Amino acid sequence: MQGAAEEEEEGEGDVVKPGEPDDSSEEEEEDADEERRIREGFIVDEDEDDEDDEEERKRRKRRKKHHRRRREEEEDLEEDDLDLLEENTGGTFKKSRLKRLVRRGASESPPTASSSKRRAVVESSDEDLDDDPLPKVQDIQQIWDDQRDEFDDDADGDIDDFIEYDDEEEGGMPMDERAREERRKERRRQQQEFRRKSRGAHPELAGIDANAWAEIHDVFGDGHEYDWALVADEEAEYEQETQKDMTLQNVFEPSEIREHLLTEDDNLIRARDTPERMQLTTSSLSEAASISLHQTIIAENLNKDGARWVTLRLSPEKQKEFFSANGAYQHLQGELVMAVTFALRAMFVEEYEVPFIWTHRRDYISHFDVNDTRSPRLELLSLPELWRIYALGQKYRSLVERRNALSASYRRLGVTDTYYTDEIFPAIDSVELVADTSEWLLMKYKDKKENVVAFRFHDDDEAEIEKKHKMPSRISAYELAKKSIVSRLADGFGIASHEVVLNFVNETRLHYVDNQNLDPFIYAEQFADPDPAKALAPEELLRRARMIIATELGKDPLLRDHMRQLFKKNAVVSVSPTERGRAKIDEQHVYYPFKYLYNKPIENMLGSSQFLYILKAEQELLVTVSINLPPDIKANFERRLIDAFSSDLLRESTKAWNEERSRVVQEVMEQHLIPAAVKWTREFLREEEEDYVANRCGDQLRKRIDVSPYYNPQNSPMKLGDTPSVLAVSWGKGDPQKDAICVVLMDDGGRMREWIKIDNLVDTETRDEFVDIIRRRKPDVIIVGGFTTATAKLCQRVKEIVSGRSSYDSNSTFGDSFDIPVIYVPDELARIYHHSPRSKLEFSSLPPNARYCVGLARYAQSPLNEYAAVGSDITALSFDDDDQHLVPKDKLLVALEQALVDIVNKVGVDINRTVTDRYYQYLLPFVCGFGPRKARELVSKIDGLGGSLVNRNQFIKSGILTTKIFLNAAGFLRITQEQDDMKVKHRIDDEQAPDPLDDTRIHPEDYELARKMATDALELDEEDIHDEHPSHVVGLIMQDRENDKKLSELNLDEFAVSLFNANQELKRHTLNVIRDELLKPFSEQRSPFPPIDGWNVLTMLSGETQKTLRIGLIVSVLVFRTRPDSVHVRLDSGLEGIIKQEYLVDDTPGAEKPVKGKTIQGVIIDVRLDHENDIYEVELSSRWSDVVENDTEFRRKQPDVYWNRAQHEKDLDILARKQRAEVTKTRRIIKHPNFHNFNTSQAEQYLDGQQRGDVVIRPSSKGIDHLAVTWKVDDKLYQHIDITEKGYDPTGQSVDTQFVVDASHTYIDLDELIVRHVNAMSRRVEDLMAHDRFKPGSEDELHLFLKNQLLANPAKSMYGFTLNRKRPGHFNLCFLANKDSTVQTWPVRVTPEAYYLFEAPAVGVPELCDAFKVR
């Protein structure tokens, strides 16, 4: 501060003390320029300091405005004080509104005590003061007023340059220098005028000279000594207020806020004392999850009809067992309803989640006869049924809300409709009925509804309706007819529409028809317009009258609901292919089973996914779907409706009227009831089958995660449920040239301790390194994984090293042996993990293959934890290979989340571990009551309290959990206890004492029961444990060596009966849970880790499944090794196979044995899976007699039982006739699937949409003994091959026909020609196109590429391949020797056997490259 004061003194000049001579007039003139520069420096201080920092300038401007507002507020307060002084003294007080200046670069330093006013006074000379007469001072309080008589206009101007005015910038807009100068002049003029008026009003101020001013300032100061502190306070307050106003929306993008769950809805979900999943509209895993706006169901609605509504829809099995006459549990149907009532009340009133009810309230959903304890206890509801009740409860809640909204709408209409109140509303039990009723009310009381909306008072809450855009009004034909005289004609039918429905529903004549005496046509003529030009014919009038009645009947909610129930029970589904579908859906197509589906009952479709496939095929325009009622059901409904509408009189006119009524019924059926029912049935089937597939996926996930960590029974220190230490090994894709072997060690705490990368396990050095990590770390299990079948060889090698013996030579040893199992585990999670952002965040320094090993190890340590960590990406995993893609993602997430919630709560979560272990923390959102938001907040709160909890009481006493969340979650959040803690005695009032019950599944509400059981088992009295901690006795029974015997001697049945008699509490199952937990707290209840079978390993390594390797299928294989007795081949998936000698070729003369490098066709005859020895191979036959038979029969899909054979045969006959008609136009008849009667352009157009390598055989223009083969080389590039048919017989009876391509290529039939010639060339073309030296595009583009590459690498020669567009099927090899040479082009010819560079053959692409380099 001293330095700042010194700088300030240097900036403002030396201050002349009072009494000292002042001779500074010359210095003033000499320093004028200096003062001007200083003045300019002051003025431009804040703008010039950081002129390049726009944000800093904006911040200062905001701060400046904030200071201005603060000063104005303070000045307003000071003005009140000045007014009070004026009243007391009679004087006038005004306050200067000049701003304090801040020195450049030292804005935080305190200002000097001298103001510009004082400086001007002090610098005046004594001579100047003596010239003017001194006015008399009347009031000493006026001395602080400024005596401006002493200064002239120029002095004012100098001071003005130092002044920063409040309104320097008007409207927030910057002012240029010219505008500022004009503003200064105007203010100077106003101030001078103000001073003149002030002198006239206060002449006493003129009597104070400069010396007096100096003495006053020296004694009292000028009031500005502490401005620097005030400035600091103002800036701090400004920053604080700015931070208060700052929100996340000001800093982050909305997408980031949503991603981190920090929106307003997320905060509301966190704050509400309701389980998070119950606050969401869909799964908490879904990215589209939003807060639910549903209202809470009151218990009265649940007890009234909610339980009955849910129970009747629970499942067909429950209906059969409890509600049928011969049901096994028909006598317990009342208890079932009570159990459902309790479950609904617990879920939707008390807000308990399903696992809580299943674990801690199971006694209330079970049957236990307190009067006969010997009778077995029966669980009335299962865990899946509880989830079903929760889903149905949500639907019932929506129904209640819509029903209440419907009642409110009806009340607003202000009408009285007994049919609605007595018949319709009591029958509403579905949202469809609510929708139908709303539509019916709108139709019937549309005018009333318009009036209700139109007439509103000015203070109504819904006045903002006026802001909505006006929708175009639509008046239906029904409304027009209803408002015309035709409505009176409709009344002539003698009965109202709702009366017809009541007759129909009750199946009796509650209302009779009022018959007309006149014939309908004669009666209709009475309502014709008197004007002949406007008059309508009686037929048209009757048609409109029928339309009115048909519309009213068709919109009737009860009639619609009756039709829906008919469709639900009796509807049948039929499918017929479209013209496009007939051609595309062949016998191997997935849609073939229902291509001609006919009248299949919908009840037979509910347990499958067939209708979802039908809808998908319909969406692809391949089939049309029809849903109908069986004719007898439809006829019965129509007859009943006619009977309810007709009259029994036998008059001719009555008969004619009944005919009109029959036409009405037909119109109702065809135009209203059936279309609406069909639409509903489609949605009903879709919903049911989606739920079926989703639940099946959830069950599959439940099987995968309801397993314990890997457990080796031979490892004595381990016990079921312990986490093993894992050594994971992977070779990646198994390429020795590119991929190294990664080895990762994960300890039993789930932490990665070590990882190494070695080239192979063959060399002694690398093998010893691998053995060393096994010897040092001693893992419990070794896991092998990879992406290709080369992993099987790696697994063999690892087993050899671990066992110390070679599998090929039992006498050779490697040294030490280890008793460690070597296994495979499913790697689908590891495949997702090793490229995920989560893996890069956790192990950024590891390569992908090592992160893949981490995923394998984690799966072995905890499949549940690994699946929970996947999050919303869990839908990318396959749980149902065939049908999973048919289910919407949100619905699938709900089913998968339910499985995760069940198992996580079954296992429990160590709450203290979640704070320190971020990976383990992924389990917490699936605990009852929690979700991603509440789980994150819980961890944050515990971390803020020190990072750990001692007992469950802290959840409430420390304000960590709200009441409902605590009740839901407490029994599943374990606080692990050390054995020593149980031995230590704690005071009864010690709130920080650990409780052994907190490390059990026992809920805190049942702690007293547990303590009572422990006390009784130990045969202690209350006096024995009076001064001890309440749970001390629990620790004693847990450590007692005979606790099992002592607890088993307790009569829990009698205890349960006494609890029921005393408090009406059902605790029989709870007592069993308490006993089990006292014996083995949080014991492992999951199944042991299952071993993986051979087929799963084969699928994991190759992608092949039992479907793709079915016996009888024909596959393409590449010969890679030949032996005298066999040929070894490789499938496209990398799986190896063998063709034994007897299956190589037929016993025919001239049959050649396959050679190495050749691709052949083979029939699968066996699949060999030796999981123990890591042998996975297929056995094939390449005999022509086996291959030629084709595998169509094996690939053929079986048609559905409900198959329209007549239509199928009819379509086949039509297709055959079309084919015969086409054949008659050609010169040839060849029975081959690839033969088409095409010319060249037609063949190319046909192949344009096909894959590369597809073939068309067609007639040739060169003669009847020629054929043309066209195959697709690339897009818009086709090769045409001329085939000569040697030995051609026009009758088609010849068996010695040969197909000659050229002198060296002759084939016995077309199949051999396609396989051995065209397909072989196609594969060679594909191989060369896959090479990194191949460049797509034209030859000129390749030339340019080579030149650019040479410029980048002048010391190298460049070459590349491209397709020869002039000779399809062949290539051009272009090369550039050096920068001074030109691009050379050599032709590369492709044949089935090899590539030819000029005349030099090359069997493969590497050989072709070598041949070029040698040449």
Side-chain angles (χ1 to χ4, degrees):
M1 291 179 59
Q2 184 177 356
E6 291 175 359
E7 290 179 4
E8 217 168 301
E9 290 175 3
E10 292 176 4
E12 294 194 7
D14 297 333
V15 178
V16 180
K17 294 183 179 180
E20 292 184 0
D22 180 17
D23 191 12
S24 59
S25 58
E26 292 184 1
E27 286 184 14
E28 273 193 313
E29 295 178 358
E30 292 175 356
D31 295 340
D33 294 335
E34 182 67 17
E35 287 182 359
R36 179 176 52 81
R37 285 194 297 271
I38 293 174
R39 215 165 33 236
E40 291 174 352
F42 276 106
I43 293 174
V44 300
D45 172 37
E46 294 184 353
D47 291 334
E48 188 176 284
D49 187 31
D50 290 315
E51 58 183 2
D52 295 332
D53 193 345
E54 182 66 25
E55 292 300 325
E56 182 67 18
R57 287 198 296 271
K58 291 182 179 178
R59 188 178 68 84
R60 289 181 176 179
K61 185 179 294 184
R62 290 195 300 269
R63 184 183 300 174
K64 190 183 300 180
K65 292 181 179 178
H66 173 73
H67 290 170
R68 186 181 307 144
R69 288 196 300 269
R70 289 290 306 272
R71 278 195 298 273
E72 288 176 353
E73 293 174 0
E74 293 175 358
E75 288 166 359
D76 289 341
L77 294 176
E78 292 175 3
E79 288 291 334
D80 295 337
D81 298 335
L82 295 176
D83 292 341
L84 184 59
L85 288 174
E86 288 178 354
E87 292 178 3
N88 296 330
T89 62
T92 301
F93 296 85
K94 294 297 178 183
K95 188 177 182 297
S96 174
R97 300 183 62 85
L98 303 182
K99 284 189 175 180
R100 183 184 63 81
L101 297 179
V102 181
R103 182 179 301 278
R104 179 200 306 239
S107 58
E108 299 298 328
S109 62
T112 180
S114 300
S115 67
S116 57
K117 292 188 285 186
R118 181 184 175 190
R119 176 186 173 196
V121 171
V122 172
E123 290 180 351
S124 299
S125 63
D126 294 337
E127 291 81 1
D128 294 336
L129 292 173
D130 292 339
D131 291 340
D132 296 330
L134 297 178
K136 187 184 292 184
V137 178
Q138 297 179 356
D139 193 347
I140 192 64
Q141 296 181 5
Q142 304 294 328
I143 61 176
W144 301 113
D145 285 348
D146 192 2
Q147 180 66 15
R148 294 303 178 118
D149 292 7
E150 309 295 331
F151 314 114
D152 58 8
D153 293 345
D154 293 337
D156 290 338
D158 291 340
I159 293 175
D160 287 339
D161 289 341
F162 282 87
I163 296 172
E164 182 182 357
Y165 289 92
D166 287 349
D167 52 353
E168 182 70 16
E169 296 177 357
E170 290 186 353
M173 297 298 292
M175 302 174 66
D176 57 13
E177 192 62 33
R178 188 173 184 179
R180 287 194 183 97
E181 185 63 28
E182 293 178 356
R183 177 60 56 85
R184 291 192 190 101
K185 292 180 180 179
E186 177 64 22
R187 284 182 178 145
R188 195 178 299 125
R189 186 188 63 79
Q190 293 176 358
Q191 289 170 359
Q192 291 172 355
E193 182 68 23
F194 172 74
R195 290 168 189 150
R196 284 194 294 270
K197 294 180 180 179
S198 298
R199 285 195 295 269
H202 303 281
E204 69 277 7
L205 296 181
I208 302 178
D209 60 6
N211 293 330
W213 278 113
E215 291 179 3
I216 291 171
H217 282 303
D218 287 340
V219 175
F220 299 101
D222 62 353
H224 294 279
E225 288 83 356
Y226 298 98
D227 280 0
W228 60 273
L230 298 176
V231 169
D233 292 342
E234 289 177 356
E235 292 181 351
E237 291 177 6
Y238 171 75
E239 294 293 341
Q240 189 175 6
E241 290 188 10
T242 304
Q243 292 176 0
K244 288 181 180 179
D245 296 338
M246 190 68 67
T247 62
L248 291 175
Q249 286 76 11
N250 301 128
V251 181
F252 299 102
E253 292 291 334
S255 59
E256 293 179 323
I257 297 176
R258 289 193 298 270
E259 181 181 354
H260 291 84
L261 305 177
L262 295 173
T263 64
E264 293 182 0
D265 285 350
D266 295 325
N267 294 333
L268 181 59
I269 291 172
R270 270 187 286 268
R272 288 175 57 184
D273 186 18
T274 300
E276 182 169 332
R277 272 175 288 274
M278 289 186 172
Q279 299 186 54
L280 300 175
T281 56
T282 182
S283 168
S284 63
L285 296 174
S286 174
E287 297 175 356
S290 59
I291 191 169
S292 174
L293 301 178
H294 290 292
Q295 300 174 356
T296 304
I297 306 179
I298 59 177
E300 181 182 353
N301 287 334
L302 294 176
N303 297 333
K304 186 177 181 181
D305 60 354
R308 179 187 60 84
W309 189 90
V310 171
T311 304
L312 294 176
R313 292 162 175 79
L314 195 53
S315 67
E317 292 77 13
K318 277 288 187 284
Q319 290 288 325
K320 183 178 180 181
E321 292 176 353
F322 286 85
F323 293 95
S324 64
N326 300 324
Y329 306 111
Q330 196 269 343
H331 62 288
L332 296 176
Q333 62 176 241
E335 293 199 25
L336 175 65
V337 175
M338 291 297 296
V340 173
T341 304
F342 173 83
L344 286 171
R345 187 170 61 250
M347 294 174 188
F348 295 97
V349 178
E350 300 174 6
E351 295 181 328
Y352 291 127
E353 287 205 74
V354 168
F356 173 88
I357 300 172
W358 177 250
T359 305
H360 303 299
R361 295 288 188 272
R362 199 183 304 185
D363 293 287
Y364 293 89
I365 58 174
S366 304
H367 167 67
F368 174 69
D369 192 349
V370 295
N371 299 318
D372 184 9
T373 57
R374 296 181 180 180
S375 61
R377 193 175 62 88
L378 175 66
E379 291 183 354
L380 301 172
L381 298 173
S382 63
L383 181 58
E385 287 171 342
L386 282 178
W387 284 112
R388 173 70 175 166
I389 289 174
Y390 181 65
L392 289 172
Q394 289 177 314
K395 293 181 179 180
Y396 178 74
R397 181 175 59 187
S398 298
L399 171 61
V400 171
E401 291 175 358
R402 298 189 183 202
R403 199 161 55 187
N404 293 339
L406 177 65
S407 298
S409 299
Y410 174 75
R411 288 193 298 269
R412 285 198 298 268
L413 291 175
V415 297
T416 301
D417 193 319
T418 56
Y419 179 58
Y420 167 81
T421 55
D422 298 343
E423 304 293 340
I424 295 180
F425 190 79
I428 293 178
D429 62 352
S430 66
V431 293
E432 292 82 13
L433 258 174
V434 175
D436 291 341
T437 305
S438 300
E439 188 178 357
W440 178 79
L441 286 174
L442 178 63
M443 176 196 71
K444 190 172 183 180
Y445 300 108
K446 185 173 184 180
D447 294 339
K448 287 279 186 182
K449 185 175 180 64
E450 290 176 352
N451 293 337
V452 169
V453 175
F455 293 103
R456 293 190 181 278
F457 294 97
H458 67 280
D459 56 347
D460 284 348
D461 293 336
E462 298 180 17
E464 62 266 13
I465 293 178
E466 299 176 358
K467 298 180 181 179
K468 296 181 179 179
H469 296 290
K470 184 178 180 180
M471 300 299 292
S473 59
R474 296 187 302 173
I475 300 178
S476 63
Y478 166 79
E479 294 177 74
L480 292 173
K482 190 69 175 176
K483 294 177 179 179
S484 66
I485 198 172
V486 178
S487 61
R488 292 174 55 193
L489 175 58
D491 295 338
F493 277 75
I495 188 172
S497 59
H498 70 277
E499 294 175 341
V500 176
V501 175
L502 290 176
N503 288 344
F504 173 85
V505 171
N506 293 280
E507 299 186 21
T508 186
R509 285 289 172 85
L510 297 179
H511 302 276
Y512 291 90
V513 178
D514 186 8
N515 291 285
Q516 301 293 334
N517 295 325
L518 298 177
D519 183 84
F521 288 92
I522 299 175
Y523 185 78
E525 289 177 351
Q526 302 177 9
F527 301 94
D529 196 292
D531 187 355
K534 298 180 181 180
L536 298 175
E539 294 84 353
E540 177 63 19
L541 293 173
L542 282 173
R543 185 195 67 79
R544 296 189 180 187
R546 292 196 302 269
M547 182 266 295
I548 292 176
I549 301 177
T551 302
E552 293 176 351
L553 286 174
K555 299 287 186 181
D556 188 278
L558 298 181
L559 203 57
R560 281 193 169 193
D561 186 61
H562 194 86
M563 180 61 78
R564 276 195 298 269
Q565 299 307 317
L566 279 182
F567 265 78
K568 184 178 180 179
K569 293 179 182 178
N570 305 293
V572 293
V573 178
S574 299
V575 178
S576 59
T578 62
E579 192 67 30
R580 180 184 176 189
R582 291 190 186 96
K584 189 170 183 178
I585 303 177
D586 57 15
E587 294 181 344
Q588 301 178 18
H589 202 283
V590 68
Y591 298 157
Y592 182 75
F594 56 80
K595 182 178 181 180
Y596 292 99
L597 193 69
Y598 183 67
N599 287 348
K600 184 173 184 177
I602 64 171
E603 60 182 5
N604 294 345
M605 303 181 74
L606 294 179
S608 68
S609 58
Q610 188 179 61
F611 192 73
L612 297 178
Y613 279 103
I614 292 175
L615 293 178
K616 192 169 183 288
E618 185 184 44
Q619 187 178 9
E620 297 173 8
L621 304 179
L622 298 178
V623 300
T624 57
V625 186
S626 60
I627 302 176
N628 298 295
L629 284 174
D632 56 335
I633 303 295
K634 180 180 177 181
N636 182 56
F637 182 91
E638 188 174 350
R639 179 186 54 77
R640 283 182 55 196
L641 190 55
I642 291 175
D643 290 345
F645 198 7
S646 301
S647 173
D648 294 335
L649 296 180
L650 301 178
R651 293 185 306 202
E652 288 297 326
S653 60
T654 303
K655 184 178 180 181
W657 278 105
N658 284 342
E659 290 179 358
E660 293 296 325
R661 297 182 182 108
S662 298
R663 294 190 182 97
V664 171
V665 171
Q666 291 178 358
E667 186 174 344
V668 170
M669 296 279 291
E670 301 301 329
Q671 296 186 16
H672 297 279
L673 298 181
I674 290 180
V678 167
K679 183 178 179 181
W680 173 85
T681 305
R682 287 170 61 96
E683 290 302 308
F684 168 75
L685 275 175
R686 182 182 63 80
E687 287 283 342
E688 290 294 319
E689 294 200 359
E690 285 179 353
D691 290 341
Y692 167 77
V693 176
N695 291 333
R696 197 167 64 187
C697 293
D699 293 340
Q700 184 63 30
L701 173 62
R702 193 175 278 103
K703 292 179 182 177
R704 296 184 189 181
I705 61 179
D706 194 13
V707 296
S708 64
Y710 174 80
Y711 168 64
N712 183 12
Q714 299 177 357
N715 190 346
S716 55
M718 285 188 65
K719 60 182 180 180
L720 187 64
D722 289 348
T723 303
S725 59
V726 181
L727 187 72
V729 185
S730 175
W731 196 8
K733 295 183 179 180
D735 188 343
Q737 305 298 326
K738 297 181 180 179
D739 300 317
I741 299 174
C742 288
V743 182
V744 174
L745 190 283
M746 303 285 287
D747 66 8
D748 54 7
R751 297 176 293 271
M752 191 200 73
R753 288 302 188 184
E754 184 177 353
W755 83 279
I756 60 174
K757 184 166 65 173
I758 55 180
D759 293 333
N760 57 70
L761 291 177
V762 178
D763 297 340
T764 303
E765 182 179 353
T766 56
R767 186 175 65 243
D768 291 345
E769 188 177 359
F770 180 68
V771 171
D772 178 66
I773 193 174
I774 297 177
R775 184 184 297 110
R776 288 186 294 104
R777 295 297 184 176
K778 296 181 177 57
D780 297 316
V781 63
I782 298 176
I783 295 176
V784 180
F787 308 131
T788 65
T789 52
T791 306
K793 298 179 181 178
L794 174 66
C795 189
Q796 285 180 345
R797 190 63 180 168
V798 172
K799 289 180 179 178
E800 291 174 0
I801 294 174
V802 171
S803 63
R805 294 184 177 274
S806 173
S807 60
Y808 300 102
D809 185 2
S810 59
N811 295 324
S812 63
T813 61
F814 296 115
D816 296 342
S817 63
F818 306 93
D819 187 17
I820 301 175
V822 180
I823 64 170
Y824 292 98
V825 297
D827 72 337
E828 56 180 1
L829 288 167
R831 288 175 183 253
I832 290 179
Y833 175 75
H834 81 294
H835 282 307
S836 67
R838 179 166 61 95
S839 70
K840 297 175 183 177
L841 181 65
E842 293 177 335
F843 304 101
S844 58
S845 60
L846 296 186
N849 197 26
R851 297 199 294 264
Y852 170 77
C853 291
V854 172
L856 293 176
R858 282 180 166 178
Y859 185 90
Q861 292 180 330
S862 177
L864 173 61
N865 206 155
E866 191 64 7
Y867 274 100
V870 177
S872 60
D873 291 337
I874 196 171
T875 54
L877 302 174
S878 177
F879 302 100
D880 191 317
D881 295 335
D882 297 329
D883 305 333
Q884 181 174 331
H885 66 282
L886 300 172
V887 183
K889 182 178 179 179
D890 285 343
K891 183 171 289 189
L892 183 61
L893 281 174
V894 170
L896 299 178
E897 184 184 31
Q898 289 175 0
L900 287 168
V901 169
D902 285 343
I903 307 305
V904 167
N905 288 282
K906 180 179 180 179
V907 175
V909 174
D910 184 348
I911 186 60
N912 288 329
R913 184 180 170 188
T914 61
V915 181
T916 58
D917 190 342
R918 185 172 180 83
Y919 174 67
Y920 185 75
Q921 195 181 115
Y922 287 113
L923 293 174
L924 190 57
F926 300 101
V927 174
C928 274
F930 294 132
R933 300 158 185 83
K934 289 184 180 292
R936 191 177 300 178
E937 185 186 32
L938 172 64
V939 172
S940 177
K941 287 183 177 180
I942 297 176
D943 192 34
L945 294 174
S948 65
L949 299 179
V950 179
N951 53 52
R952 286 173 176 169
N953 289 337
Q954 290 181 274
F955 284 121
I956 295 297
K957 293 184 178 179
S958 299
I960 298 175
L961 295 179
T962 53
T963 303
K964 288 182 181 178
I965 306 303
F966 173 77
L967 292 175
N968 270 280
F972 309 110
L973 298 177
R974 64 183 301 187
I975 300 177
T976 54
Q977 307 288 329
E978 300 293 339
Q979 291 296 325
D980 295 339
D981 293 340
M982 297 184 184
K983 299 177 181 178
V984 178
K985 293 185 178 181
H986 298 277
R987 297 190 311 273
I988 191 172
D989 58 346
D990 188 357
E991 296 182 354
Q992 298 298 319
D995 193 330
L997 290 175
D998 292 340
D999 195 13
T1000 68
R1001 293 185 174 92
I1002 303 172
H1003 197 275
E1005 67 183 7
D1006 296 321
Y1007 278 8
E1008 291 301 324
L1009 293 179
R1011 293 161 181 162
K1012 173 65 175 172
M1013 288 178 61
T1015 303
D1016 293 346
L1018 294 173
E1019 298 181 352
L1020 298 176
D1021 296 330
E1022 292 185 3
E1023 293 79 7
D1024 299 332
I1025 57 174
H1026 178 69
D1027 295 330
E1028 305 291 345
H1029 188 275
S1031 294
H1032 176 68
V1033 65
V1034 176
L1036 295 178
I1037 192 64
M1038 286 183 174
Q1039 295 179 5
D1040 195 312
R1041 294 183 178 181
E1042 297 182 352
N1043 53 9
D1044 190 0
K1045 177 183 177 182
K1046 294 179 179 179
L1047 288 171
S1048 299
E1049 292 175 352
L1050 297 177
N1051 190 340
L1052 299 184
D1053 289 338
E1054 183 179 344
F1055 192 12
V1057 172
S1058 64
L1059 288 173
F1060 179 79
N1061 293 332
N1063 305 315
Q1064 297 298 306
E1065 291 182 330
L1066 298 175
K1067 292 290 184 180
R1068 183 62 188 86
H1069 170 75
T1070 303
L1071 295 177
N1072 286 340
V1073 172
I1074 293 174
R1075 181 181 60 190
D1076 295 340
E1077 290 299 311
L1078 292 178
L1079 292 173
K1080 295 180 180 179
F1082 270 105
S1083 61
E1084 183 59 66
Q1085 298 179 352
R1086 294 171 290 180
S1087 304
F1089 193 91
I1092 190 171
D1093 61 16
W1095 272 110
N1096 286 330
V1097 174
L1098 180 60
T1099 302
M1100 182 175 68
L1101 300 182
S1102 68
E1104 301 285 0
T1105 64
Q1106 298 186 46
K1107 291 183 179 180
T1108 61
L1109 295 179
R1110 290 198 307 268
I1111 294 176
L1113 295 184
I1114 298 177
V1115 294
S1116 296
V1117 294
L1118 175 68
V1119 178
F1120 70 91
R1121 186 189 303 123
T1122 59
R1123 292 183 177 177
D1125 60 341
S1126 63
V1127 169
H1128 292 262
V1129 297
R1130 184 178 292 114
L1131 279 69
D1132 293 337
S1133 60
L1135 180 63
E1136 295 183 0
I1138 185 173
I1139 305 177
K1140 296 181 180 179
Q1141 180 68 35
E1142 60 268 25
Y1143 295 108
L1144 277 174
V1145 293
D1146 291 314
D1147 296 332
T1148 58
E1152 297 181 357
K1153 182 179 177 179
V1155 297
K1156 181 179 179 181
K1158 187 176 183 179
T1159 301
I1160 61 176
Q1161 299 289 310
V1163 180
I1164 299 174
I1165 59 177
D1166 191 18
V1167 180
R1168 182 186 175 194
L1169 301 178
D1170 187 352
H1171 187 43
E1172 292 296 326
N1173 297 315
D1174 298 287
I1175 298 175
Y1176 309 94
E1177 64 179 16
V1178 293
E1179 187 175 346
L1180 304 102
S1181 171
S1182 62
R1183 294 185 303 197
W1184 187 249
S1185 58
D1186 295 334
V1187 176
V1188 75
E1189 291 182 359
N1190 211 331
D1191 60 353
T1192 304
E1193 189 62 29
F1194 295 96
R1195 297 183 183 274
R1196 184 175 183 267
K1197 304 289 185 181
Q1198 294 299 319
D1200 196 278
V1201 176
Y1202 295 89
W1203 185 260
N1204 192 345
R1205 302 186 183 279
Q1207 185 64 39
H1208 181 213
E1209 293 174 358
K1210 182 179 178 181
D1211 285 352
L1212 287 178
D1213 184 57
I1214 294 174
L1215 183 61
R1217 286 203 301 268
K1218 287 184 178 180
Q1219 291 177 347
R1220 287 195 297 269
E1222 293 292 332
V1223 168
T1224 57
K1225 300 178 183 179
T1226 67
R1227 297 184 297 273
R1228 300 293 304 273
I1229 301 176
I1230 298 179
K1231 295 182 179 180
H1232 193 278
N1234 293 93
F1235 181 85
H1236 297 276
N1237 184 27
F1238 291 159
N1239 57 28
T1240 301
S1241 60
Q1242 289 174 332
E1244 292 180 354
Q1245 183 179 2
Y1246 172 80
L1247 291 172
D1248 185 49
Q1250 306 297 320
Q1251 301 292 326
R1252 288 202 300 248
D1254 283 357
V1255 184
V1256 165
I1257 303 174
R1258 56 187 179 84
S1260 174
S1261 59
K1262 293 186 177 181
I1264 197 169
D1265 59 344
H1266 282 256
L1267 289 174
V1269 173
T1270 302
W1271 67 281
K1272 184 175 182 179
V1273 180
D1274 198 2
D1275 292 340
K1276 307 300 180 182
L1277 191 64
Y1278 311 90
Q1279 186 183 55
H1280 304 281
I1281 305 174
D1282 179 53
I1283 308 297
T1284 302
E1285 191 172 354
K1286 189 177 179 180
Y1288 167 73
D1289 184 4
T1291 62
Q1293 302 299 320
S1294 175
V1295 294
D1296 298 326
T1297 303
Q1298 291 183 332
F1299 298 87
V1300 180
V1301 178
D1302 52 38
S1304 58
H1305 297 92
T1306 302
Y1307 305 95
I1308 61 174
D1309 60 18
L1310 292 176
D1311 288 320
E1312 185 184 13
L1313 184 147
I1314 292 175
V1315 172
R1316 297 189 176 184
H1317 191 89
V1318 179
N1319 291 353
M1321 287 198 300
S1322 175
R1323 280 190 294 273
R1324 293 196 177 277
V1325 170
E1326 291 286 344
D1327 290 344
L1328 189 49
M1329 292 177 69
H1331 195 264
D1332 57 358
R1333 290 289 180 176
F1334 174 81
K1335 299 299 176 186
S1338 64
E1339 185 175 339
D1340 292 336
E1341 293 174 348
L1342 177 59
H1343 290 182
L1344 180 61
F1345 173 78
L1346 295 177
K1347 292 176 182 178
N1348 292 334
Q1349 288 293 310
L1350 192 63
L1351 290 175
N1353 303 277
K1356 295 183 179 180
S1357 300
M1358 298 295 166
Y1359 73 98
F1361 299 93
T1362 187
L1363 286 168
N1364 189 335
R1365 297 283 170 178
K1366 296 180 180 179
R1367 296 188 61 194
H1370 301 289
F1371 292 83
N1372 286 334
L1373 192 158
C1374 302
F1375 65 95
L1376 195 58
N1378 52 62
K1379 62 180 181 179
D1380 298 326
S1381 62
T1382 58
V1383 179
Q1384 300 292 322
T1385 301
W1386 290 354
V1388 177
R1389 184 162 51 92
V1390 181
T1391 67
E1393 300 82 16
Y1395 304 95
Y1396 284 84
L1397 182 62
F1398 295 101
E1399 297 303 320
V1403 296
V1405 178
E1407 291 81 359
L1408 176 63
C1409 296
D1410 293 340
F1412 160 71
K1413 295 175 183 177
V1414 172
R1415 192 177 183 92

